[in-house]
Amino acid sequence: MDKCLLPDKFTNNLIIVSLAAILVAVVYFSSSAPYLAISIPIVVLSSIFAMILLAVADFKEIWQAFGNIVNRYSLAIVGIIILSFLLFSILFLKKIELIFFDEQIYQSIALNFLKHGTASLCIYATNNLNKCYLSTIQFDPLGYPVILAMAFKLFGSSQLIAYNLELFFSGMTIFLIFLSSSILTGRQEIGVISSLIYALIPEVLIWSKTPANPNIPFAMFFSLSLLFFAIFIKRQNIKSLYLFLFSLIAIIYIRVEAVLLIPLFLAGFILLNKGASNIQVFKNKNAIVAFILFLILILPETVFTFIAKYNLDKNRAFINLLAKSLSPNRMGPVLDTHIGLFSANYFISNILTNIRFLFGFIKVYPIIFLPGITLFAAFGLAFSIIDRKSGSFKLAIFLGIVFLAYFIFYSFYFSGSVLLGGSVRFMLIVYPALSILAGLGVYLMSLLLFKKIGMIRNSRTGKPRFGNYIPFCIICAAIILIAFVWPFAKSIPFLQNPNYNYPDFPLKLNATTENSIYSMAYLNRSLSFIGNNYLAVPSNCLVFSETPYLWYGLNRSSVIPGIISYQNTTIKNYSCYIFDYSSFCSYPNISIECNKFLSQYKTRIIVSENNGNLPKFALYHILNFSG
């Protein structure tokens, strides 16, 4: 075992004391659902801050792990790639929402945490969430809303920040893919190619222009975990181990399916470890302490997941509601309320559809992919397996396993088909691994062609000599232009013209900060309706809405209709009452509940709007509400 893995006595005692304190706090705060809204932010922020502090303190040693792999020229090229990506996104792509209200929910949770210290969704609050009378724990992971809340804290709580944060994460992912693939392969050329391939993926560009989508930060934190994992394999000391584990904690809290990375990285360690034996690493007492701390810190998310699963199983009405809310002609397997959200019944249909997507047979907004990425990733994997002398066999196997694990996992999910539109976002999770495999494939193909056309090669390494580096780069550039850049250029019209020409919706997340204007996605017509008509609702009114979080940022108080009996004391304090007949009320099956609520009162329509074959949107003034 490398002696570097052994900290000094003071550090060891500090770790043990911290471990005991965190154990007591986490177990206490994880004892019930309300405390999870407190304990989860504590763990997320502590892990991220600890990771940042360790990285800054150990930066010199981290950079030394790269040796001579990365130079200023490759860094400059990647900088140009990132700048081009950001400029293209800002200048040519519209801001848009693609998930049915989820993005608004994440932002509302973030604002509730920022203002009231709890990472929960407020379902009864005054304007701008100044007061939250009742909140609930969402079954979606809370890690990203906590990160978003910190961005609001630093830069202001406007939706423009949510958009910019997604774009920032994508830019960081490009850079991290460059670093991680360079150190894993020992070739900065592969790092540059992989980062360029990722930057050219149309879906990455599309989803980088959405607010509060956790799959983009998932891709970033996965790339960060991959980088720290590679550094740990190379250095095998306690600092790099903690860096890797803290990054893994953060990603688990962003999306719970990141727990799959635990066995995947374990398999990768067994495959790629070239230092001390695997058994020695796991027998080291300080490494064991680190792993125990890791398990304790993911305990709140484990409890959270079991509570969410229990509530779903207990309340089958939610699954029935979800099934009813889906269009009968939806493209994909129908949600079976008897077997739930995950089942083998969905697998065949989903995986066949998703394979067609990866090979470019499906191209409708926002479902666009470059088949060259799949082909070169497959070539990189196959060539590495066939030609063991390439030196990339174990890495290719590891990346292939990571890709297949998530690709197969989502195929069992009822919403795992890319043809469901918003569900294509799940593919963002596998793109970093796929991009590195494709970059490896391009590099190996270039070497193969380099050899076939008789270029001079280094007899010892089999790699091109410096004098032949320019023609080698020309071969790489030609492959990239034909396989990736040209298909990307052909996809630009799909990116720029999504054909969702709904009115803009100005949203403010506090009373003073104006928000940017953004266009709505096809599912969110009701957002546009609310955004265009909210001024018809006086600011001293209470809005009954199935989506109250949409109203808080518009300087209006709102509550879910079903809870009025629990909070009638405060509800009676308003001078007027409005019912929002949009969002979920627009679905025929769910509209029954909305109509039932309205039937209790005398009402007058303030404003309405046709909604095709669905029930029309409307804002009703309730004339005889008495609590």
Side-chain angles (χ1 to χ4, degrees):
M1 172 59 62
D2 192 335
K3 291 182 180 179
C4 292
L5 197 58
L6 304 176
D8 56 45
K9 187 175 181 180
F10 172 78
T11 304
N12 194 43
N13 292 335
L14 180 63
I15 290 173
I16 294 174
V17 172
S18 301
L19 178 64
I22 293 173
L23 175 61
V24 173
V26 168
V27 170
Y28 175 76
F29 282 121
S30 298
S31 59
S32 63
Y35 288 131
L36 288 171
I38 302 172
S39 61
I40 286 178
I42 291 174
V43 174
V44 173
L45 295 178
S46 299
S47 300
I48 292 176
F49 290 151
M51 180 180 62
I52 293 173
L53 290 174
L54 276 173
V56 171
D58 201 33
F59 178 77
K60 186 177 180 180
E61 291 186 38
I62 290 174
W63 190 249
Q64 288 175 350
F66 286 90
N68 297 321
I69 297 173
V70 174
N71 59 33
R72 63 180 184 273
Y73 300 110
S74 59
L75 286 171
I77 294 172
V78 173
I80 293 171
I81 292 172
I82 295 172
L83 182 61
S84 301
F85 175 89
L86 296 177
L87 288 176
F88 183 86
S89 299
I90 293 169
L91 297 177
F92 297 105
L93 299 182
K94 294 180 179 180
K95 300 181 182 74
I96 196 165
E97 291 203 9
L98 293 171
I99 314 175
F100 200 23
F101 300 124
D102 288 21
E103 290 151 320
Q104 297 289 337
I105 290 174
Y106 286 128
Q107 292 172 82
S108 185
I109 294 173
L111 194 60
N112 196 30
F113 174 63
L114 189 61
K115 290 196 170 188
H116 305 295
T118 176
S120 56
L121 179 65
C122 195
I123 56 177
Y124 175 30
T126 60
N127 50 12
N128 300 304
L129 271 173
N130 291 327
K131 290 184 179 180
C132 178
Y133 295 112
L134 186 63
S135 61
T136 182
I137 297 292
Q138 281 294 103
F139 58 85
D140 291 322
L142 300 176
Y144 186 57
V146 172
I147 296 172
L148 184 58
M150 293 302 97
F152 286 164
K153 178 70 174 178
L154 293 173
F155 304 106
S157 52
S158 77
Q159 194 168 37
L160 178 61
I161 301 304
Y163 278 113
N164 290 340
L165 187 61
E166 294 284 308
L167 201 54
F168 169 77
F169 279 135
S170 288
M172 283 297 298
T173 305
I174 296 171
F175 183 62
L176 292 169
I177 285 175
F178 163 70
L179 293 178
S180 58
S181 53
S182 295
I183 195 171
L184 282 169
T185 61
R187 301 296 303 179
Q188 62 182 345
E189 298 91 344
I190 297 176
V192 171
I193 296 168
S194 301
S195 62
L196 176 60
I197 289 172
Y198 184 83
L200 289 173
I201 297 177
E203 264 192 78
V204 173
L205 283 158
I206 291 171
W207 288 94
S208 296
K209 296 291 287 186
T210 63
N213 166 35
N215 300 86
I216 290 289
F218 184 106
M220 194 280 286
F221 276 97
F222 168 73
S223 303
L224 185 63
S225 297
L226 191 62
L227 172 61
F228 289 147
F229 174 69
I231 292 173
F232 171 65
I233 287 179
K234 193 165 186 177
R235 296 174 63 200
Q236 294 203 5
N237 62 23
I238 196 68
K239 293 178 183 178
S240 56
L241 177 60
Y242 272 106
L243 275 173
F244 166 64
L245 292 178
F246 279 133
S247 66
L248 195 55
I249 289 168
I251 194 174
I252 288 172
Y253 279 92
I254 289 173
R255 290 206 67 92
V256 69
E257 56 266 37
V259 295
L260 288 176
L261 292 175
I262 298 174
L264 291 174
F265 275 122
L266 178 60
F269 180 79
I270 294 172
L271 279 170
L272 302 175
N273 180 34
K274 297 178 182 178
S277 71
N278 298 323
I279 296 177
Q280 280 183 301
V281 170
F282 293 112
K283 280 185 175 180
N284 180 272
K285 66 174 183 178
N286 297 289
I288 293 173
V289 168
F291 292 129
I292 293 175
L293 177 62
F294 168 77
L295 294 175
I296 290 173
L297 288 177
I298 65 173
L299 177 61
E301 181 62 27
T302 305
V303 175
F304 177 86
T305 302
F306 276 110
I307 289 176
K309 176 66 167 60
Y310 172 78
N311 288 339
L312 284 179
D313 290 339
K314 184 178 179 181
N315 185 14
R316 303 298 293 181
F318 170 80
I319 295 181
N320 292 327
L321 179 70
L322 186 60
K324 290 178 181 179
S325 69
L326 296 171
S327 172
N329 60 350
R330 60 195 290 275
M331 296 176 286
V334 176
L335 172 60
D336 190 333
T337 59
H338 296 291
I339 59 178
L341 303 179
F342 281 89
S343 172
N345 293 24
Y346 310 132
F347 180 77
I348 297 299
S349 175
N350 283 345
I351 200 165
L352 291 178
T353 298
N354 295 343
I355 289 173
R356 291 177 58 228
F357 162 76
L358 288 178
F359 285 95
F361 293 107
I362 300 173
K363 187 178 285 188
V364 291
Y365 188 92
I367 311 164
I368 309 167
F369 194 67
L370 306 181
I373 298 175
T374 309
L375 294 173
F376 274 94
F379 174 80
L381 179 60
F383 189 87
S384 298
I385 294 173
I386 295 171
D387 185 6
R388 301 289 182 89
K389 295 180 181 180
S390 66
S392 55
F393 168 68
K394 293 181 179 180
L395 174 62
I397 291 294
F398 168 60
L399 294 173
I401 291 173
V402 171
F403 166 75
L404 285 175
Y406 280 100
F407 187 73
I408 292 172
F409 172 78
Y410 284 119
S411 295
F412 286 100
Y413 186 44
F414 88 98
S415 189
S417 167
V418 298
L419 282 178
L420 293 179
S423 294
V424 74
R425 70 189 186 278
F426 296 128
M427 298 298 291
L428 293 166
I429 291 172
V430 302
Y431 288 158
L434 197 63
S435 297
I436 297 173
L437 267 178
L440 178 64
V442 170
Y443 181 80
L444 293 175
M445 174 68 78
S446 300
L447 281 180
L448 189 63
L449 293 175
F450 200 77
K451 181 179 179 180
K452 291 295 183 183
I453 62 178
M455 292 289 184
I456 300 174
R457 296 162 57 84
N458 185 303
S459 58
R460 184 176 62 85
T461 65
K463 296 174 182 177
R465 292 177 180 172
F466 181 78
N468 297 299
Y469 199 68
I470 292 178
F472 175 77
C473 290
I474 291 174
I475 294 175
C476 280
I479 293 175
I480 291 170
L481 283 171
I482 295 171
F484 307 113
V485 177
W486 174 244
F488 171 78
K490 292 176 67 176
S491 72
I492 290 177
F494 289 90
L495 300 176
Q496 292 181 306
N497 184 27
N499 296 319
Y500 302 140
N501 300 316
Y502 300 113
D504 288 331
F505 176 50
L507 178 65
K508 295 182 293 183
L509 286 181
N510 60 35
T512 58
T513 308
E514 267 300 322
N515 194 7
S516 62
I517 304 300
Y518 65 106
S519 299
M520 288 297 94
Y522 63 102
L523 285 175
N524 290 356
R525 290 189 183 96
S526 58
L527 292 176
S528 298
F529 170 74
I530 294 172
N532 291 331
N533 297 290
Y534 76 95
L535 290 175
V537 178
S539 59
N540 59 341
C541 291
L542 177 66
V543 180
F544 292 105
S545 175
E546 294 292 335
T547 52
Y549 40 84
L550 300 182
W551 289 93
Y552 304 147
L554 298 173
N555 200 28
R556 301 297 185 273
S557 301
S558 187
V559 62
I560 289 181
I563 67 167
I564 57 172
S565 60
Y566 303 113
Q567 299 291 334
N568 59 359
T569 301
T570 54
I571 283 177
K572 288 182 178 181
N573 294 335
Y574 296 91
S575 59
C576 72
Y577 301 89
I578 307 296
F579 186 81
D580 169 21
Y581 197 97
S582 63
S583 63
F584 295 109
C585 288
S586 64
Y587 288 99
N589 291 299
I590 306 176
S591 65
I592 296 174
E593 297 299 320
C594 297
N595 291 332
K596 182 179 178 181
F597 179 87
L598 283 175
S599 66
Q600 304 175 59
Y601 306 102
K602 183 179 179 181
T603 60
R604 175 178 61 85
I605 293 180
I606 301 175
V607 62
S608 64
E609 181 180 296
N610 288 329
N611 188 25
N613 296 326
L614 297 174
K616 67 180 181 180
F617 298 137
L619 294 177
Y620 289 88
H621 183 195
I622 302 175
L623 302 176
N624 61 335
F625 182 80
S626 58

